[in-house]
Amino acid sequence: MKGPGWRVALWVMVGFKLLAHLVSQVVTPYEVHRDEFLYVAMGSHLRLWHMDFPPFIAVAANIQRFLFGDVLWGLRVLPALAGACLIWITMDVTRRLGGRVTAQVIAGGIVLLSPLVLRTSVLFQPVVFDQLWWSLALWALLRRGLDDDPRWWIGVGVALGMGLFTKFSIAFLALPLAAATLLTPLRKDLVTRWPWAGAAMALLLGHPSLAGQVALRWPFFTQMQDLQAEQLSQVTVPDFLLEQVLLTGPGVLLAVVGATWLVAARGRPAHRTAGLAALGAFGLLLLLHGKAYYAGPVFPVLLGAGGAAISTVRTWVSRFTLTGVAVAQLAFGAVALPLGLPILAPEPMARYARWLGITGATETNRGEQLDLPQDYADMLGWEVFADTVIRVWRELDPEDRDRAVVFGTNYGRAGALDWYGRAAGLPPAVSNVGSYWFWGYGNPDWDVVIFAGGELEDLRRYFRDVVEVARVQDGWRVPEERDVAVFVARGPYQPIATLWPGFEGRN
């Protein structure tokens, strides 16, 4: 592509993306998300080769905390940058495959305006980084073909390694990619050192994730069993396919064109391999009842390829098609914007969600219907909750306060206490759920424990004296957080060191 037009278009799109995220963080009426609390806490407990989850998100949390401190906008800088990179990858794929500037802007605009990337690049979670590494792996594979340079397998390996360092779901791309390589003429590269060097690079970068699983006796499998029982079992094939449209918008048609064009590419084995790998990953997730957004990482490259495919057919049909997709996506993006950026306060957001009438947008992972999207409900009420627990802690006698243990009965509660309690001098929270259980019970003297959540009768099984001292209520939150009691418990029947091994995951 000659001339500076594509550079101008790229920087305008990326700049608009970053500006939109900055403004949204300034005006948002919402707080930190419950998952974000956990990932920040993982950074505080970083043990690179001894984590029950891939540790990239913990490393990223520490980078952001070092650069910006404990502020909401600072927590979300890296996700916004990752989202901007996805726009760049999409537009660059379109350009390198022969698409005109108009096609680049339309393909990049779909990524910019789709809830698929808008929501993920707002929140500090592994999802947007997972999307980035998948997209970079497919982009590097296309570069291997376009440049006729097998050294690009190193780039593929780096992206896959970072994917393994971030989420185990990278296997859904790596396995189809390996199979697609064997099924296409690209398998000739296997007699060279470059694919194997890429594989070695992937293992080198991703090995801390595997080391943690070995050290902790493969907690991944227990986590997957719980996820399957509580959430994935409810995902149906029609729901999975319909949500691709809801997450991507009319631009999903461009992704279908892109996948078809890549797979059908003659004399371009790298193109065909990339297309087959993307379709294979999508098919695996469909068959295994993955959540709809799990397939999100294949879309940037497919959208870029689709834009190029239509753009290279230089007829009025291609111009009409691209114009139609652009107009439809713009309208879709305008309607979906409040679902992607948390800018509307709870009450108007609830009214807007009801007006849209898309029940899937306000359904929880467990099939419960809310007034708000679950991510929004999970960003409400945490500061009031933490302030309540801090007040209870401060009202203890000085001797009890100095030795008190603060227990959050789920990772959101524990994480919120760590986030808001640090400045108040609250001791680090402990919990028996998820990663917190692996971090241990803290102070071995459990004579005084503040329980943030739980049930009175359950606590009386373990403590001689349990008193409810406060209650936090908020109807906008997810059901389990709408009415949370705070207890002070004293006099354990048994030492916590004896009880802790059997507490894993129990609420």
Side-chain angles (χ1 to χ4, degrees):
M1 181 67 65
K2 297 180 179 180
W6 68 271
R7 291 189 179 90
V8 174
L10 173 63
W11 285 111
V12 167
M13 297 286 284
V14 168
F16 185 81
K17 168 77 172 177
L18 295 176
L19 180 62
H21 280 275
L22 175 62
V23 171
S24 73
Q25 297 310 308
V26 172
V27 304
T28 184
Y30 297 89
E31 304 173 32
V32 179
H33 190 281
R34 67 184 301 141
D35 290 351
E36 293 175 313
F37 288 133
L38 173 63
Y39 299 131
V40 171
M42 289 174 68
S44 298
H45 295 85
L46 179 61
R47 295 177 292 178
L48 196 60
W49 292 275
H50 207 266
M51 305 287 283
D52 60 311
F53 280 98
F56 170 85
I57 198 69
V59 174
N62 286 345
I63 292 173
Q64 291 191 144
R65 174 172 272 179
F66 174 78
L67 293 174
F68 310 112
D70 290 337
V71 292
L72 181 63
W73 67 267
L75 182 62
R76 294 173 176 172
V77 169
L78 290 183
L81 290 174
C85 287
L86 289 171
I87 294 174
W88 166 75
I89 291 170
T90 304
M91 296 179 69
D92 192 63
V93 167
T94 307
R95 179 178 72 89
R96 292 183 183 278
L97 294 180
R100 298 190 298 273
V101 172
T102 301
Q104 296 170 39
V105 171
I106 291 172
I110 294 172
V111 175
L112 174 68
L113 296 174
S114 66
L116 177 70
V117 176
L118 263 180
R119 180 84 66 85
T120 61
S121 56
V122 163
L123 300 177
F124 180 65
Q125 297 176 332
V127 179
V128 71
F129 302 106
D130 190 47
Q131 293 173 336
L132 177 60
W133 308 134
W134 283 47
S135 298
L136 281 174
L138 293 171
W139 173 82
L141 185 60
L142 289 175
R143 290 296 304 272
R144 184 265 169 265
L146 291 168
D147 299 349
D148 194 23
D149 188 348
R151 289 176 296 181
W152 274 106
W153 280 107
I154 298 291
V156 175
V158 169
L160 293 177
M162 291 304 298
L164 178 57
F165 192 49
T166 303
K167 286 190 73 176
F168 290 118
S169 60
I170 194 68
F172 289 112
L173 176 64
L175 295 175
L177 194 155
T181 301
L182 292 172
L183 291 173
T184 65
L186 200 63
R187 58 182 173 270
K188 65 183 175 61
D189 282 358
L190 296 176
V191 301
T192 72
R193 65 181 180 273
W194 300 112
W196 308 106
M201 184 63 72
L203 288 175
L204 177 65
L205 291 173
H207 84 274
S209 300
L210 300 175
Q213 293 297 306
V214 173
L216 299 175
R217 300 182 181 179
W218 299 96
F220 167 78
F221 293 109
T222 300
Q223 294 157 5
M224 284 304 301
Q225 288 174 357
D226 293 342
L227 183 64
Q228 176 66 36
E230 295 179 6
Q231 299 179 29
L232 300 186
S233 59
Q234 301 180 43
V235 179
T236 66
V237 169
D239 288 343
F240 183 89
L241 295 175
L242 175 61
E243 286 193 45
Q244 303 307 318
V245 179
L246 297 178
L247 289 172
T248 310
V252 73
L253 297 175
L254 209 61
V256 174
V257 171
T260 304
W261 191 58
L262 288 175
V263 171
R266 293 184 178 180
R268 294 282 188 175
H271 290 43
R272 181 168 291 182
T273 301
L276 289 173
L279 288 179
F282 189 92
L284 276 177
L285 292 168
L286 182 67
L287 291 173
L288 297 176
H289 298 278
K291 296 181 185 180
Y293 74 84
Y294 289 2
V298 304
F299 279 94
V301 167
L302 295 184
L303 289 167
I310 295 177
S311 178
T312 52
V313 181
R314 300 177 184 274
T315 65
W316 68 269
V317 175
S318 67
R319 290 193 293 272
F320 177 81
T321 302
L322 283 173
T323 301
V325 169
V327 172
Q329 188 70 28
L330 188 63
F332 173 82
V335 172
L337 185 65
L339 297 175
L341 291 179
I343 50 179
L344 290 182
E347 188 170 342
M349 183 65 234
R351 290 200 302 269
Y352 189 72
R354 287 194 296 270
W355 175 79
L356 286 177
I358 304 175
T359 57
T362 54
E363 188 175 276
T364 71
N365 292 330
R366 300 176 180 179
E368 300 164 312
Q369 200 64 47
L370 304 178
D371 293 322
L372 300 172
Q374 181 175 353
D375 280 337
Y376 290 15
D378 275 330
M379 290 189 282
L380 290 171
W382 295 112
E383 187 170 9
V384 171
F385 165 79
D387 286 345
T388 301
V389 176
I390 292 168
R391 175 179 56 78
V392 169
W393 174 73
R394 284 175 172 168
E395 290 175 353
L396 293 174
D397 293 336
E399 182 180 351
D400 286 347
R401 187 167 60 243
D402 290 341
R403 61 180 178 153
V405 174
V406 179
F407 188 101
T409 50
N410 62 41
Y411 68 78
R413 295 167 190 169
L417 295 175
D418 281 338
W419 175 274
Y420 291 110
R422 175 180 293 196
L426 196 70
V430 299
S431 180
N432 59 325
V433 178
S435 297
Y436 271 93
W437 181 84
F438 288 100
W439 301 333
Y441 49 80
N443 181 358
D445 177 9
W446 272 46
D447 283 345
V448 180
V449 184
I450 299 173
F451 280 93
E455 299 293 336
L456 182 61
E457 292 306 315
D458 290 339
L459 296 177
R460 282 177 172 168
R461 294 166 53 196
Y462 301 101
F463 292 87
R464 295 181 180 86
D465 180 30
V466 183
V467 178
E468 181 181 323
V469 293
R471 190 169 284 271
V472 184
Q473 297 175 316
D474 186 338
W476 288 115
R477 308 182 76 193
V478 293
E480 65 267 25
E481 302 295 343
R482 290 175 182 171
D483 187 5
V484 181
V486 180
F487 304 91
V488 174
R490 292 180 170 87
Y493 290 116
Q494 297 182 62
I496 186 58
T498 302
L499 296 173
W500 193 255
F503 272 2
E504 182 181 7
R506 293 176 60 187
N507 288 318

